[in-house]
Amino acid sequence: MGRNSRNRRKRATLAHRAIAATAALVLGGGGLVAIDVYASADQGGSGRQERSAVDGVAARASTIDCPEVANGLPRELPPAARPAVDRALAALDGQITDAYARFADRREAIGRDPALADELVLAPLRAERQADIDRIASAVRDAGAPANGLAGLAACTLRTDDDADDGPDDDEAPRQRRGQGQGQAGNGPVASDFVDIRTVRPNVQPPPNRRGASRGTFTTSCGVNAKGLFNSDNVIVAPGVANGAHHMHDYVGNQANDAFASDDDLAVGATTCRNRGDRSSYYWPVLRVQNGRAEADAGQDGGGRDKNVGEIQTPVEVSLTFVGSPTGRVSAMPRLLRIITGDAKAFTNGTANANASWSCTGFENRQLKDKYPRCPRGSDVVRTFRFQGCWDGRDPKNPKIDSPNHRTHVAFADARGACPRGFTAIPQLVQRIVYDVPRGSRFAVDSFPEQLHKPVTDHGDFINVFDERLMDRMVSCINSGRRCR
C-alpha cells in the first residue's frame, strides 16, 4: 500500500471518529440531529458534507442538556438516604451551571472546532456527574432500596435552540442595536420567545362541574413581596444547600424560608399573610426586565453570577385562591405538604411537567406555556400557576408530604376532573401574579443559566403551613360552595 493511500485511510479514520464523537454531542431542539456518522469519508465529498453538517449544528449549540437524575430515583426513598441524595442532586445542578459557564466562555472556539466541546465541557462534566450519581446509588442501596434507575444518566449533550431568532420585532429593535439580541447576559430571552397575545386563539376550557362538585373558594391575602425578600435557595429541592436554585425567588407568606429552614422554623416563622393562621410559604422565580440596569444581586449567586440580570419587577397583584374539585368534595391537606408545579428545567427536560401559563389582563381566556406575551397598551402581564389538586393519601398514618422527585406524591386530575386511583382531592392552589411591565420591554423569569430564561421553565413552589383550624375552615368553605377569605 502506497504512502498516499495510507494517509488517505488515516485521514478517513480520523474523520470518522471526529464525526461520530461530534454527532453524539449535539442535540437539536426536537431531539437528536439525524446524521449518518458512519458515512464513508472517502465516498466522494460525502464525508466532508457530513462533518460540515455536524460542525454547523455545533456552531449553533446554545446550551447543555443533561438527563434528570431525580427521575431515576426509586418511588419510595428511605429517609436515611435522603440527606446524601439531596446534597448530591444539588451538586449535580451546580456542575451543570459550571459546565454551562465553560461552554459560554468558549462558544466561538467550539463553533470552530466542535471536538473541543467534549474535551473542555462534556467529558469533565460526565466524570463529575458519574461520581455524584455513584454516591446517590450507594446511599440508596445502603438504605435498602434499589438504585437500578440511575444507570446511564451521566452523559450530557450540547443542544441548539431551534426557536432562536436573531431578528428583532419592532419593539425590540433599539435594544437589539445595543447588543442584547441574545439577552442582557447572553443567554436569553430572544425575540422569538415572545408573541403578541392578540394573535393567540382562546384556548381555556375548564372541566365542567359534575353533581357533588365542591364549588367554593378560599382566598388568602399575603401581599406582593413589597419588602423584597429574595434568595436563590430552594428548601424543597435542595435543603441545606445555599444557592440550590441558581436563580432568585420572590417569597410571600412565611418569612423564614431559606435553604436551612426546618419544619419547626417554618411552623413559627413570621408571615405576610393577613390571616396569621396561614404561615404557608409561596414562592416563585422573580421576573426581570432586561433594561441594561444592574440589580443589587449583579455580582451574587442566583443573580449575575448565574446569568440572571436586569431589574426585578415587584408584582402589582398576587392572588392566592384555593378551589375545589369538579367531581366531589375535597379533604384537608397534610401539614407541611410540599408541592412544586411546573419544571425549572423544562427547556431541556421537555414539557411533560411544564405547567405555568402566561397571558395578559383582558385576554386570560388565552394562555401560553412556551411564549412570553406581548400585551397591548393598558394590559398587564399575568403569570398563572394551577397547582396539583390530588394527593397520595393512601397511608393516613404516615402521610406523604414529599416524594423523591418532588412530584409523585401529588397529581393533577384528569380531563374529567377525577383524581388518579388512590389519590384524594385536596384544595387546589391557583396562584395569579400580575406585573406592570413597561410596554415593549424584554422581560424574563430567572432560571438555571442553561435553561436560557425560557418561559416554559416557569414554576411555583408551595409549603402548607396553615394551622389546623384555618385548614378546616378552608375545606368547609370549598365543600359548601361558599366564597371565603
Side-chain angles (χ1 to χ4, degrees):
M1 184 183 295
R3 177 180 298 175
N4 288 341
S5 177
R6 287 195 299 271
N7 286 342
R8 282 196 299 271
R9 172 158 291 195
K10 181 178 181 181
R11 287 195 299 271
T13 300
L14 292 173
H16 284 158
R17 291 175 180 171
I19 292 169
T22 307
L25 302 179
V26 183
L27 280 162
L32 281 167
V33 177
I35 295 176
D36 180 7
V37 299
Y38 298 106
S40 173
D42 51 13
Q43 290 177 352
S46 63
R48 289 189 296 274
Q49 292 169 358
E50 298 290 359
R51 178 60 189 264
S52 176
V54 176
D55 287 359
V57 175
R60 293 186 290 109
S62 58
T63 195
I64 296 172
D65 188 344
C66 298
E68 183 61 80
V69 174
N71 291 338
L73 293 172
R75 186 178 178 90
E76 301 293 337
L77 183 65
R82 190 64 180 267
V85 169
D86 285 339
R87 286 194 299 271
L89 290 174
L92 290 168
D93 285 339
Q95 291 158 9
I96 298 171
T97 294
D98 293 343
Y100 177 80
R102 296 196 300 273
F103 164 71
D105 289 344
R106 297 165 175 81
R107 187 176 308 181
E108 291 185 6
I110 289 170
R112 293 190 298 269
D113 183 1
L116 290 174
D118 195 54
E119 177 184 344
L120 300 177
V121 180
L122 297 179
L125 176 59
R126 183 167 58 248
E128 290 177 328
R129 283 173 60 82
Q130 189 61 64
D132 273 302
I133 291 171
D134 289 345
R135 292 186 186 98
I136 292 172
S138 294
V140 171
R141 284 194 291 264
D142 289 348
N148 303 332
L150 296 170
L153 299 179
C156 302
T157 59
L158 297 184
R159 67 168 290 169
T160 63
D161 177 5
D162 288 348
D163 291 331
D165 180 1
D166 292 332
D169 57 42
D170 291 342
D171 290 329
E172 289 292 325
R175 204 161 277 102
Q176 292 267 24
R177 287 194 291 269
R178 293 199 295 271
Q180 295 183 25
Q182 296 297 320
Q184 191 171 325
N187 68 328
V190 296
S192 57
D193 289 327
F194 295 82
V195 66
D196 188 328
I197 194 66
R198 293 169 294 188
T199 67
V200 178
R201 296 176 63 88
N203 55 12
V204 175
Q205 294 181 330
N209 282 327
R210 300 179 182 275
R211 178 178 294 180
S214 44
R215 296 180 172 86
T217 63
F218 182 92
T219 300
T220 184
S221 178
C222 301
V224 297
N225 196 24
K227 294 183 178 180
L229 176 61
F230 309 114
N231 66 47
S232 57
D233 303 339
N234 193 327
V235 73
I236 297 178
V237 176
V241 179
N243 194 39
H246 296 275
H247 52 264
M248 288 293 178
H249 287 123
D250 265 314
Y251 288 84
V252 300
N254 202 298
Q255 301 293 282
N257 191 342
D258 62 21
F260 306 97
S262 67
D263 289 349
D264 289 341
D265 293 330
L266 295 172
V268 298
T271 181
T272 64
C273 298
R274 186 173 299 165
N275 190 322
R276 295 301 189 240
D278 183 9
R279 297 179 188 270
S280 300
S281 185
Y282 308 85
Y283 57 109
W284 55 83
V286 300
L287 186 80
R288 299 182 195 246
V289 169
Q290 294 192 358
N291 54 12
R293 299 176 186 170
E295 273 285 3
D297 65 354
Q300 299 175 10
D301 289 340
R305 287 183 186 172
D306 286 310
K307 293 188 175 293
N308 292 302
V309 298
E311 189 175 10
I312 294 175
Q313 303 296 291
T314 301
V316 296
E317 179 185 347
V318 174
S319 62
L320 306 168
T321 304
F322 293 86
V323 301
S325 164
T327 61
R329 297 167 67 84
V330 298
S331 299
M333 300 179 192
R335 187 169 170 82
L336 298 168
L337 176 68
R338 275 93 162 138
I339 307 181
I340 298 174
T341 195
D343 183 359
K345 302 174 187 175
F347 178 57
T348 54
N349 282 350
T351 61
N353 291 310
N355 187 49
S357 58
W358 296 84
S359 191
C360 302
T361 54
F363 297 86
E364 290 178 69
N365 61 341
R366 312 169 195 205
Q367 296 289 329
L368 301 164
K369 180 182 289 187
D370 60 352
K371 299 288 183 182
Y372 294 116
R374 288 280 183 215
C375 301
R377 191 180 304 277
S379 178
D380 291 333
V381 173
V382 182
R383 295 163 79 179
T384 302
F385 306 92
R386 298 187 70 89
F387 285 69
Q388 294 88 322
C390 304
W391 166 65
D392 184 352
R394 284 175 282 194
D395 185 0
K397 294 182 179 179
N398 185 28
K400 290 184 179 180
I401 60 170
D402 203 354
S403 51
N405 66 359
H406 313 293
R407 296 190 185 280
T408 53
H409 66 297
V410 289
F412 289 99
D414 63 21
R416 296 171 300 142
C419 288
R421 178 175 295 181
F423 282 67
T424 299
I426 56 175
Q428 181 183 23
L429 172 60
V430 180
Q431 189 169 278
R432 179 175 175 272
I433 311 171
V434 182
Y435 298 88
D436 182 13
V437 174
R439 188 168 181 268
S441 62
R442 182 172 291 196
F443 61 90
V445 292
D446 269 19
S447 73
F448 287 97
E450 78 280 358
Q451 298 300 315
L452 308 185
H453 302 285
K454 295 296 183 183
V456 75
T457 66
D458 199 11
H459 56 283
D461 301 73
F462 167 70
I463 303 175
N464 168 37
V465 200
F466 277 88
D467 66 30
E468 185 176 351
R469 181 178 177 183
L470 189 57
M471 175 57 67
D472 288 344
R473 179 169 176 258
M474 177 197 297
V475 169
S476 175
C477 286
I478 292 172
N479 286 336
S480 63
R482 291 177 288 148
R483 296 181 181 274
C484 303
R485 292 181 175 272

